[in-house]
């Protein structure tokens, strides 16, 4: 009887699939590559690399330009499909856009998967700075402990789950202000739960502050978080202590209410 892929039971993995994934990851990290570059980067034989590239091209996942290979736009379509299936994105998009417009700064919507922060949406307000850095952030998963959205999520996860995440991914320093001590992190998460929002005071990048709030379903399960980030020259004093926290937590509450209403409506429809 085949094993259920939806369970956490140990199962065998396919080395060919592992290799194909390695090729895809390498093309991402190298921003495209020739066969010889992939051979050196992955320490695989030329025939293995070539055969996997040919298979990926056949399935429209890789495109060839001259003698270089790149990930195809099929990944863009897959990514859009996955994002659009997220209720957090569906319900939160309009509110996050409004928050960016109201503050003039970057507004972010993030969730957690595999112990890392995934950016679902990033909206630039008219005064926002650091566009190049912000664009790079949305393209890759990141540690949770250094950002306001990440800490807001961690604060409302079960402690055992947070312990697992820290064990797996550690607490690497992004700046001198990043929390890198486990006990200090849990003290911070206690404080976040008490006040209802998280702060990032130059913990992810120097010169940048952010305020984030969790977004939870009606059972209290944290689904993600939203935040506003901006330069320390603007996000300071009352803005950092009161104004932005109030705007962020209010927006998070609106998204929660709208999600709960959408869930109720969906459940009610089953009995029509």
């Amino acid at each position: 009887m085949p094993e259920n892929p939806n369970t956490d039971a140990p199962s065998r993995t396919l080395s060919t699939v592992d290799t194909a994934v390695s090729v895809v990851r390498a093309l991402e990290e190298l921003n495209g590559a020739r066969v010889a570059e992939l051979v050196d980067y992955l320490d695989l034989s030329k025939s293995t690399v070539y055969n996997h590239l040919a298979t990926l091209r056949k399935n429209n996942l890789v495109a060839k330009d001259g003698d270089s290979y790149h990930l195809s736009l099929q990944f863009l379509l897959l990514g859009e499909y996955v994002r659009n299936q997220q209720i957090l994105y569906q319900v939160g998009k309009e509110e996050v856009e409004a928050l960016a417009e109201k503050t003039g700064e970057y507004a972010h919507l993030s969730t957690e998967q595999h112990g890392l922060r995934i950016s679902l949406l990033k909206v630039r307000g008219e005064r926002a700075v650091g566009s190049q850095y912000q664009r790079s952030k949305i393209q890759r998963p990141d540690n949770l402990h250094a950002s306001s959205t990440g800490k807001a999520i961690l604060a409302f996860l079960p402690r055992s789950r947070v312990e697992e995440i820290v064990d797996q991914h550690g607490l690497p320093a992004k700046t001198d202000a990043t929390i890198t001590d486990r006990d200090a992190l849990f003290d911070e998460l206690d404080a976040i739960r008490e006040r209802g929002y998280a702060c990032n005071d130059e913990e992810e990048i120097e010169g940048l502050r952010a305020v984030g709030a969790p977004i939870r379903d009606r059972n209290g399960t944290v689904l993600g978080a939203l935040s506003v980030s901006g330069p320390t020259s603007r996000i300071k004093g009352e803005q950092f202590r009161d104004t932005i926290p109030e705007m962020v937590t209010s927006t998070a509450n609106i998204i929660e209410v709208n999600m709960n209403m959408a869930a109720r409506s969906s459940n009610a429809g089953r009995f029509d």
Side-chain angles (χ1 to χ4, degrees), residues 86-88 109-113 116 120 144 148-159 161-162 165 189 192-193 196 198 212-226 252 255-256 259-260:
Q86 294 286 317
I87 184 65
L88 184 60
L109 184 66
S110 302
T111 190
E112 176 267 327
Q113 191 172 65
L116 295 170
L120 294 175
L144 291 158
S148 63
T149 50
K151 289 194 290 182
I153 292 170
L154 287 174
F156 291 90
L157 287 174
R159 182 180 176 108
R161 176 62 181 142
V162 180
I165 290 171
L189 299 183
I192 291 168
R193 280 191 296 275
I215 300 172
R216 294 178 288 171
D217 66 16
R218 59 177 179 241
N219 298 315
T221 301
V222 63
L223 302 178
L226 65 84
I255 294 173
E256 289 174 342
M259 281 198 308
N260 290 337

Side-chain angles (χ1 to χ4, degrees), residues 117-128:
R117 182 186 52 157
I118 306 293
S119 180
L120 294 175
L121 178 65
K122 193 181 304 292
V123 183
R124 185 181 186 273
E126 63 179 9
R127 299 187 302 162

Side-chain angles (χ1 to χ4, degrees), residues 219-253:
N219 298 315
T221 301
V222 63
L223 302 178
L226 65 84
S227 71
V228 167
S229 67
T232 55
S233 59
R234 286 202 296 264
I235 299 185
K236 60 183 179 179
E238 185 178 344
Q239 280 283 102
F240 191 42
R241 292 192 307 269
D242 299 311
T243 307
I244 291 179
E246 183 176 344
M247 295 170 70
V248 168
T249 54
S250 175
T251 302
N253 181 250

Side-chain angles (χ1 to χ4, degrees), residues 33-221:
R34 299 179 177 86
V35 171
E37 293 171 323
L38 290 170
V39 168
D40 292 339
Y41 190 78
L42 296 170
D43 194 22
L44 295 171
S45 69
K46 183 176 180 180
S47 61
T48 297
V49 169
Y50 183 81
N51 288 338
H52 278 83
L53 287 171
T55 303
L56 290 166
R57 284 188 71 197
K58 179 183 176 183
N59 288 278
N60 298 324
L61 295 174
V62 164
K64 189 178 182 183
D65 182 12
D67 58 355
S68 293
Y69 294 83
H70 303 267
L71 298 181
S72 80
L73 293 175
Q74 188 68 31
F75 283 99
L76 175 63
L77 302 179
L78 291 171
E80 284 294 315
Y81 167 78
V82 172
R83 183 169 71 165
N84 288 332
Q85 298 306 303
Q86 294 286 317
I87 184 65
L88 184 60
Y89 175 76
Q90 295 171 18
V91 176
K93 181 176 183 292
E94 185 175 332
E95 296 300 331
V96 173
E97 289 173 342
L99 184 62
E101 182 178 1
K102 185 182 296 185
T103 61
E105 307 289 358
Y106 268 106
H108 317 256
L109 184 66
S110 302
T111 190
E112 176 267 327
Q113 191 172 65
H114 307 309
L116 295 170
R117 182 186 52 157
I118 306 293
S119 180
L120 294 175
L121 178 65
K122 193 181 304 292
V123 183
R124 185 181 186 273
E126 63 179 9
R127 299 187 302 162
V129 298
S131 297
Q132 183 174 354
Y133 172 73
Q134 298 291 353
R135 281 196 299 270
S136 69
K137 278 178 56 180
I138 201 169
Q139 296 174 5
R140 64 180 187 274
D142 206 355
N143 294 86
L144 291 158
H145 69 289
S147 66
S148 63
T149 50
K151 289 194 290 182
I153 292 170
L154 287 174
F156 291 90
L157 287 174
R159 182 180 176 108
S160 59
R161 176 62 181 142
V162 180
E163 294 276 9
E164 290 174 359
I165 290 171
V166 174
D167 288 342
Q168 181 178 4
H169 298 290
L171 298 172
K174 304 287 185 177
T175 71
D176 291 341
T178 307
I179 295 174
T180 57
D181 177 78
R182 186 182 296 244
D183 291 337
L185 175 65
F186 280 106
D187 288 343
E188 174 77 355
L189 299 183
D190 288 342
I192 291 168
R193 280 191 296 275
E194 184 175 342
R195 66 176 177 255
Y197 63 89
C199 294
N200 163 13
D201 192 359
E202 301 187 78
E203 296 165 53
E204 187 177 18
I205 183 171
E206 292 178 3
L208 194 74
R209 287 190 176 120
V211 177
I215 300 172
R216 294 178 288 171
D217 66 16
R218 59 177 179 241
N219 298 315
T221 301

